[in-house]
Amino acid sequence: MPANRTITAAEVFVSSPSRNYVTLKITTSDGLVGYGDATVNGRELSVASYLKDHLCPALIGRDAERIEDTWQFFYKGAYWRRGPITMAAIGAIDMALWDIKGKAADMPVYQLLGGAARDKILTYTHATGWGFEELMDSVAQRQTEGFRAVRVQFGVPGLEKVYGVTREAATYEPAGRGIGPVTEDWDSAAYLRTAPQMLARVRDAVGDELHLLHDVHHRLTPSEAARLAQDLEVVRLFWLEDVMPAENPQLLRQVRNQSTIPLAIGEVFNTIWDCQQILTERLVDYIRCAVVHAGGISHMRKILALAEVFNVQGAPHGPSDVSPINMAASLHLGLATSNFAIQEHMGYDPLVSEVFTSHYTFNDGYLHPSDKPGLGVEFDEKAARKFEYRQAYLPVARNLDGSVKDW
Ligand code: CS2
Ligand code: MG
């Protein structure tokens, strides 16, 4: 059957309203426009080039309705598979095509995915404070805003900086500005002395109801992670995140065997194959891939379907370094997926809303993707051009002896 809705244009925008975002815009022969997020924090220009130089030219003339076929074409057909750059580029195309399909059908994307499997999506945000008092101020602020789940990060005595925490404000930016990444010191022993005490104090102060989460950012060895998990049992965390780098998923078994603490991992995973062992051996409770970094809605659906078989829940990454387009895509998927537990929503700098107009809503600790056709996020090209790309990188951590620490 000849296509009646072909792709006539595919353009890439790199803008920096407070931080860098890569946005793909696809236009069809009948005048529909779809948007996809392709942001990879600190590697934005690589994914922009992958799209502009290699994928966009091949999109022109393709049937915009054939989302799965387009996914397979760029994944299987490329010879080079997987990895964050490839998968974010494919992910952006996939999101934009779902956006178009929704607009063509005059339906929100979650309807095309089978309709709502829940009424609303539980969300968590970040609370940070160097010391206990500042941290509790930040937690109280988040509770006032209506959050029922809060990720808590704090300072470590003896260190100058800790990723995810600022000394001055209640928020942080995942990437610094400037040429090259800044270096921070890291001390696992000091962290392991601080974390159990600090989190126990927070639990005592907030009572039983508030969900508390904590992110270790891959810093520990398996034995250190197991010890921390044991020490934190009393805190009854919603989850402990990224306790160690997960290139060897089987090493998580040590933590599993030695504690009952729920584990979350996967924000740096890009495909179902990255997730396979962790899911099939149930080495985690929550799988954290972001829609953009794991090949878009189509591929994330498959990851969540595999997760469902093993009683693992979806809980996608949602920092400020994925754009509101990704956030909306994640919420449509979450509303339509039964094994979806919670969506991270770190929040955005006010400048972001000058470029992206989103329609998803927050109410009493829950998010909803909105009933606008498609993904429900508009992108203002003119405003985007005002905010030029600026180099920005995540920091690099070194142990006290000067050796590089894992991210
Ligand atoms: C964090 C992020 O949100 C999270 O869980 O791990 O701050 C993460 O470090 C950044 O998104 C990295 O780009
Ligand atoms: Mg994280």
Side-chain angles (χ1 to χ4, degrees):
M1 211 172 73
N4 61 7
R5 177 168 295 123
T6 53
I7 297 172
T8 51
E11 299 152 82
V12 179
F13 301 83
V14 183
S15 63
S16 196
S18 82
R19 63 143 16 265
N20 297 316
Y21 294 107
V22 182
T23 307
L24 173 69
K25 174 187 176 190
I26 292 182
T27 308
T28 65
S29 49
D30 57 344
L32 293 175
V33 167
Y35 295 109
D37 180 24
T39 309
V40 178
N41 192 11
R43 296 292 183 270
E44 296 87 358
L45 299 185
S46 305
V47 70
S49 157
Y50 193 104
L51 276 167
K52 260 193 282 199
D53 297 329
H54 305 294
L55 306 196
C56 289
L59 277 171
I60 308 303
R62 291 188 69 83
D63 184 346
E65 302 286 15
R66 296 183 63 172
I67 301 178
E68 181 66 17
D69 183 66
T70 301
W71 195 99
Q72 299 293 343
F73 179 84
F74 286 121
Y75 183 83
K76 290 184 180 161
Y79 190 77
W80 306 107
R81 299 181 179 199
R82 306 189 289 167
I85 306 301
T86 300
M87 298 313 292
I90 297 175
I93 293 172
D94 186 83
M95 266 182 252
L97 294 181
W98 279 105
D99 194 19
I100 287 168
K101 205 179 264 305
K103 287 170 180 166
D106 199 25
M107 280 186 191
V109 166
Y110 77 81
Q111 291 291 11
L112 305 179
L113 298 174
R118 56 174 44 75
D119 301 329
K120 52 193 178 177
I121 295 166
L122 183 65
T123 183
Y124 76 91
T125 194
H126 299 183
T128 73
W130 189 265
F132 179 70
E133 303 301 328
E134 301 101 290
L135 177 57
M136 286 314 301
D137 287 348
S138 174
V139 171
Q141 169 65 29
R142 295 318 199 175
Q143 284 187 287
T144 311
E145 289 162 13
F147 285 96
R148 294 159 182 269
V150 176
R151 186 191 88 165
V152 283
Q153 305 295 126
F154 38 81
V156 174
L159 293 181
E160 194 56 40
K161 290 180 177 169
V162 170
Y163 178 72
V165 189
T166 52
R167 285 179 185 269
E168 315 78 36
T171 55
Y172 73 101
E173 161 52 47
R177 296 288 193 187
I179 310 290
V182 297
T183 302
E184 296 177 358
D185 286 339
W186 175 255
D187 180 351
S188 291
Y191 167 74
L192 287 170
R193 285 193 299 272
T194 308
Q197 283 180 22
M198 187 66 106
L199 288 163
R201 283 179 78 187
V202 174
R203 173 54 79 203
D204 274 355
V206 298
D208 285 341
E209 251 182 70
L210 185 70
H211 295 304
L212 294 175
L213 301 81
H214 179 62
D215 193 343
V216 189
H217 292 112
H218 312 106
R219 298 284 199 237
L220 300 177
T221 66
S223 300
E224 289 167 342
R227 203 177 96 210
L228 178 66
Q230 284 185 348
D231 288 351
L232 291 178
E233 292 261 351
V234 288
V235 182
R236 281 167 287 105
L237 288 180
F238 187 96
W239 75 43
L240 186 62
E241 178 178 336
D242 288 345
V243 278
M244 65 179 88
E247 281 106 334
N248 289 306
Q250 68 277 12
L251 301 184
L252 280 163
R253 203 167 289 121
Q254 185 176 352
V255 188
R256 293 306 253 178
N257 290 344
Q258 295 181 3
S259 87
T260 60
I261 203 161
L263 297 179
I265 234 166
E267 65 181 53
V268 301
F269 293 4
N270 310 118
T271 67
I272 197 165
W273 297 282
D274 297 342
C275 304
Q276 186 177 8
Q277 189 180 2
I278 251 165
L279 296 179
T280 58
E281 297 181 21
R282 208 176 185 286
L283 295 168
V284 293
D285 299 86
Y286 300 97
I287 189 78
R288 298 255 308 133
C289 320
V291 172
V292 43
H293 301 140
I297 291 172
S298 302
H299 195 64
M300 265 296 276
R301 268 178 111 187
K302 295 178 186 177
I303 294 174
L304 294 180
L306 181 62
E308 187 178 13
V309 177
F310 296 94
N311 210 331
V312 175
Q313 312 274 306
H317 195 203
S320 59
D321 53 81
V322 293
S323 89
I325 300 169
N326 174 85
M327 184 57 63
S330 208
L331 294 174
H332 284 281
L333 183 62
L335 203 72
T337 302
S338 69
N339 61 320
F340 194 97
I342 195 166
Q343 173 64 54
E344 180 182 18
H345 191 279
M346 180 178 165
Y348 292 103
D349 186 284
L351 285 180
V352 174
S353 60
E354 292 191 19
V355 175
F356 300 92
T357 306
S358 52
H359 296 280
Y360 56 81
T361 52
F362 173 81
N363 191 16
D364 200 21
Y366 292 91
L367 291 165
H368 188 281
S370 97
D371 280 306
K372 294 260 178 215
L375 294 174
V377 181
E378 285 111 49
F379 174 71
D380 184 337
E381 285 171 40
K382 231 171 102 197
R385 286 198 187 91
K386 283 199 313 211
F387 301 105
E388 275 178 27
Y389 166 79
R390 289 159 64 193
Q391 253 185 3
Y393 298 100
L394 283 156
V396 171
R398 288 186 184 273
N399 296 298
L400 295 184
D401 68 358
S403 56
V404 175
K405 186 77 210 164
D406 293 285
W407 243 124

